[in-house]
Amino acid sequence: GDPCATLVGTSKPRTVQGGAVFTVPFDPSVSSVQILLKTDGRPMKSRIELLQGPNNNKQVLDVYTEDGNLRPFFIIVETPGDGNVIRVVNSATLEYPLECHAEPYLVDTSSSGGEGMLWS
């Protein structure tokens, strides 16, 4: 099926006002994270940052779309190891809020006696 529709249907969105930052830490068992950014039809200008531990350089992705409802942005980011934090920065002004869904995508249950990877 459509991973965007599944994510929207199973997670609660977080509104990120223009100029604001939304930070989500993830457990070390989370191998990848799914992120969906959308608006009500207005332009969307944002930045997604992956911070991995205190001493690593962050990975940054700049996102722009003219219509965040017609063309939402969906990505799956691998998050191996400890101390992973996803940070979503709304680079637009206050008049341009965006809706963010950020949830685990692939969870490694092998360390807890599971049977390998678990699709969320």
Side-chain angles (χ1 to χ4, degrees):
D2 179 10
C4 290
T6 303
L7 181 59
V8 168
T10 59
S11 73
K12 185 177 179 188
R14 170 72 182 254
T15 299
V16 183
Q17 297 295 337
V21 178
F22 174 48
T23 305
V24 187
F26 287 95
D27 191 80
S29 66
V30 176
S31 300
S32 59
V33 173
Q34 53 187 335
I35 303 166
L36 172 66
L37 303 179
K38 59 186 289 188
T39 67
D40 61 359
R42 299 179 202 196
M44 177 173 59
K45 182 178 177 187
S46 61
R47 190 170 67 236
I48 298 172
E49 301 174 351
L50 172 61
L51 294 81
Q52 295 180 293
N55 298 323
N56 291 335
N57 290 336
K58 65 183 172 187
Q59 298 178 49
V60 178
L61 180 66
D62 288 312
V63 178
Y64 177 79
T65 181
E66 197 63 42
D67 182 335
N69 188 39
L70 186 61
R71 291 180 294 282
F73 183 79
F74 178 77
I75 188 170
I76 296 173
V77 180
E78 291 191 11
T79 56
D82 294 344
N84 289 306
V85 174
I86 296 289
R87 194 160 71 180
V88 176
V89 180
N90 186 343
S91 308
T93 58
L94 187 62
E95 299 83 17
Y96 298 97
L98 63 85
E99 186 177 286
C100 173
H101 297 261
E103 297 290 333
Y105 182 68
L106 196 57
V107 179
D108 183 359
T109 59
S110 61
S111 60
S112 62
E115 298 184 19
M117 304 301 262
L118 170 71
W119 295 93
S120 63

